[in-house]
Amino acid sequence: MSRLNMSENANICILEGIISVEAAVRSGSREVKLCYVDESKVRKRDRRVLSFLKLLNSKNIPVNLCDRNIIDSFLNENDPDCGNSHGGIAAVCGERRFSSIERVLSRTSERGGFAVV
């Protein structure tokens, strides 16, 4: 079981729900430090969750398979503003990283596209 000392991480963000967490993992806009996954979803062979776990594994992101109540407690303790819409998935992430305008324009010109601001 992976654990993270939240008191040592002042610049963290907690994401809840597979859509939010998967978007953060795929975009690379945040460092995903630890992901909590409801173990009952794995036992039920939920295809989306199994695919999500493969993605986490490919990015070397630590996973804590646990009971849904543990995820609820974790969210309540660390982010009282979080709701109960996690669906069995929550993640501890770093702050969002933004690309500089120079980098965006450079990548856009390399691909022959344009940027709208």
Side-chain angles (χ1 to χ4, degrees):
M1 176 190 286
S2 298
R3 290 198 176 261
L4 195 63
N5 186 345
M6 298 294 284
S7 63
E8 293 177 1
N9 296 289
N11 298 324
I12 58 113
C13 171
I14 298 173
L15 298 178
E16 60 178 309
I18 195 167
I19 294 171
S20 300
V21 178
E22 186 173 13
V25 171
R26 289 191 187 281
S27 72
S29 63
R30 297 177 188 271
E31 175 191 6
V32 179
K33 299 172 185 279
L34 174 64
C35 188
Y36 291 89
V37 177
D38 181 351
E39 65 187 350
S40 71
K41 298 230 180 215
V42 176
R43 281 196 312 268
K44 291 177 185 174
R45 310 287 300 158
D46 182 304
R47 288 184 192 174
R48 183 149 188 215
V49 171
L50 294 175
S51 174
F52 177 65
L53 287 171
K54 285 182 184 177
L55 173 66
L56 294 175
N57 186 46
S58 73
K59 303 286 186 176
N60 297 316
I61 296 171
V63 175
N64 185 350
L65 292 176
C66 57
D67 187 78
R68 188 181 190 98
N69 293 332
I70 292 173
I71 298 170
D72 290 337
S73 296
F74 169 76
L75 291 174
N76 289 333
E77 287 174 22
N78 294 291
D79 193 353
D81 295 330
C82 277
N84 286 332
S85 62
H86 58 77
I89 308 287
V92 178
C93 304
E95 290 183 332
R96 185 165 177 162
R97 298 181 291 238
F98 294 95
S99 294
S100 69
I101 190 70
E102 291 82 11
R103 180 174 174 173
V104 171
L105 292 175
S106 171
R107 291 182 69 197
T108 301
S109 66
E110 288 171 4
R111 296 178 180 163
F114 61 94
V116 178
V117 180

